[in-house]
Amino acid sequence: AKEADVDLICVGTPLKPDTTPDNTALVSACNSVSEGLKKGDLVIVKSTVSPGITESVVKPILESKSGLKAGVDFGLAHVPERIKEGHAIFEFRTIPRIAGGIDRRSGKAAAAVFNVFPAPVYVFNSPRITETSKLFENVYRDVNIALVNELAKICEKIGVNVIEAIGAANTDPKTHLLTPGPGVGGYCIPKDPYYLIHPSINAGYKPELIPLARQINDAMPDHVVTLVEDAFSEMGIPVRGVRIAILGLSFKGNSGDLRNTPAIPIIKKLLDLGGDVVAHDPFASFGEINQAFPKLTCTRKIDEALKGAKCGVIVTDHLEYGRLKPFEMIKLMGKPAAIVDARHMVDLEEAVKAGFIYRGVGTPR
């Protein structure tokens, strides 16, 4: 806008079907910003992009459309978003920012914009540094989760509770293992690694660990379904035609966000196996989930979901599920019944005492 002195570009940067970066929205935003760009303005790219995009894509569009020169007539910097959904106010005040300008003046100007918040802003010499570091942050999380998911599968076989083992390992301040689960959802982590993988391949190096971490995490919904099938096998009843309660549709606890949620592939697999699936979630939009599964029964009442179900599958770590009482659940479900806990929400000993067949990600039989 011509009235603005600072323009922030915050558009989504999704993947194409072949997992290569899709910069369509970014290019469109740059074209729009360039129309109102004037001398003395500052443009800050906040979108997650591949290394070099601020200088190789954003800068040429802004310059060619406006007739102005970046670093001379206007400032240009990359300041990646670090705010976690549901914690924006707190994290704006506490999470440090990083700013990479195409020149020192641009970097300092971008830092000044965010210095209105108490958290420090660190200035780096190039947008390429901050573009890459943002990808490092989410690649780190993805690889860490893949590691603990691998450890969870090992623990299931060797008879060790993975959560207790992780807790013990994390007493060493040099260790920071995350928590295994049914898969990685959300907008950022499932797609950001590819914003690093493809530029690397194009530059001549094919990464090995990062794509493997994606494969491990993408396979976790299948593993949850395997645990369901194993529980049904122990109960001695078929999956086909039997009521199964999915507890949690969103990808993260206490949120209604369904983006890349592992609940969708889990539900699809169970429906393919012939299960009579009913879903519960206190926050998620049922209209959105019913677009994927038009005949899926969804409810806000947890008792309604569990009543008559032979298996309850905990997919999301909503606080509500941490208050579940196995002895009350078994009254609704009737024996035999199983709990498949992908989020470590139900106490194993209580569940077994109540009469449940119990399976969990990283929990020994």
Side-chain angles (χ1 to χ4, degrees):
K2 291 182 179 180
E3 296 81 9
D5 298 318
V6 179
D7 293 286
L8 276 66
I9 297 176
C10 313
V11 295
T13 47
L15 298 176
K16 295 177 183 177
D18 63 355
T19 73
T20 56
D22 183 352
N23 291 317
T24 304
L26 179 69
V27 169
S28 177
C30 290
N31 282 320
S32 296
V33 168
S34 67
E35 292 175 4
L37 200 61
K38 59 188 184 299
K39 284 190 176 184
D41 282 359
L42 171 66
V43 179
I44 298 175
V45 179
K46 292 184 62 59
S47 302
T48 301
V49 295
S50 292
I53 291 297
T54 299
E55 292 162 293
S56 67
V57 173
V58 176
K59 180 172 172 281
I61 294 174
L62 296 178
E63 289 183 331
S64 65
K65 296 283 183 177
S66 68
L68 302 175
K69 181 77 172 172
V72 177
D73 300 313
F74 68 92
L76 177 60
H78 180 255
V79 182
E81 187 56 78
R82 285 177 159 179
I83 301 303
K84 186 166 61 177
E85 183 185 2
H87 298 78
I89 301 300
F90 174 74
E91 294 194 349
F92 259 119
R93 298 177 58 83
T94 58
I95 301 294
R97 300 274 177 162
I98 52 174
I102 61 163
D103 57 14
R104 192 68 180 169
R105 188 168 63 158
S106 293
K108 285 185 174 180
V113 171
F114 290 94
N115 273 333
V116 297
F117 301 102
V121 184
Y122 300 100
V123 180
F124 293 87
N125 291 331
S126 165
R128 190 176 291 263
I129 299 297
T130 55
E131 291 164 339
T132 306
S133 69
K134 169 61 180 179
L135 298 173
F136 280 5
E137 291 170 20
N138 281 339
V139 165
Y140 164 77
R141 294 182 182 96
D142 200 34
V143 171
N144 193 320
I145 294 168
L147 172 61
V148 293
N149 282 336
E150 183 94 318
L151 297 176
K153 292 179 181 179
I154 292 170
C155 285
E156 289 171 24
K157 298 299 184 184
I158 65 173
V160 174
N161 186 308
V162 72
I163 297 301
E164 293 180 5
I166 287 173
N170 282 347
T171 60
D172 182 341
K174 298 184 295 296
T175 304
H176 182 59
L177 293 170
L178 299 176
T179 305
V184 176
Y187 181 70
C188 298
I189 296 180
K191 63 98 178 170
D192 283 1
Y194 293 107
Y195 272 71
L196 194 60
I197 290 170
H198 288 291
S200 179
I201 291 173
N202 293 338
Y205 175 70
K206 186 177 182 180
E208 298 177 56
L209 177 61
I210 300 171
L212 180 58
R214 282 279 73 240
Q215 292 173 29
I216 290 171
N217 289 334
D218 282 346
M220 287 309 292
D222 286 346
H223 182 65
V224 172
V225 174
T226 298
L227 294 177
V228 172
E229 292 180 289
D230 190 47
F232 270 87
S233 178
E234 185 169 339
M235 287 189 289
I237 57 177
V239 173
R240 183 167 296 277
V242 176
R243 189 176 179 88
I244 300 170
I246 297 293
L247 303 184
L249 293 170
S250 54
F251 83 88
K252 65 181 293 186
N254 311 309
S255 159
D257 199 329
L258 294 169
R259 290 177 294 177
N260 294 307
T261 175
I264 287 180
I266 290 170
I267 291 170
K268 185 179 185 305
K269 274 262 187 196
L270 293 175
L271 289 172
D272 289 345
L273 291 171
D276 174 22
V277 180
V278 58
H280 172 272
D281 195 287
F283 304 106
S285 164
F286 293 157
E288 192 173 342
I289 205 75
N290 280 135
Q291 287 181 354
F293 307 105
K295 296 182 180 179
L296 181 72
T297 300
C298 299
T299 178
R300 301 282 183 212
K301 298 177 180 178
I302 196 163
D303 287 3
E304 188 177 302
L306 292 174
K307 190 172 179 61
K310 292 288 95 182
C311 183
V313 187
I314 302 176
V315 178
T316 311
D317 52 343
H318 292 313
L319 283 174
E320 181 174 348
Y321 302 149
R323 296 191 288 266
L324 288 170
K325 303 296 182 186
F327 284 95
E328 296 174 5
M329 293 171 68
I330 201 77
K331 292 175 184 176
L332 291 165
M333 298 169 72
K335 296 181 183 180
I339 293 174
V340 175
D341 189 353
R343 292 291 189 177
H344 323 285
M345 302 295 286
V346 174
D347 183 84
L348 168 60
E349 290 186 13
E350 277 190 37
V352 172
K353 283 179 183 177
F356 278 106
I357 303 298
Y358 185 95
R359 296 289 184 274
V361 172
T363 304
R365 291 181 59 169

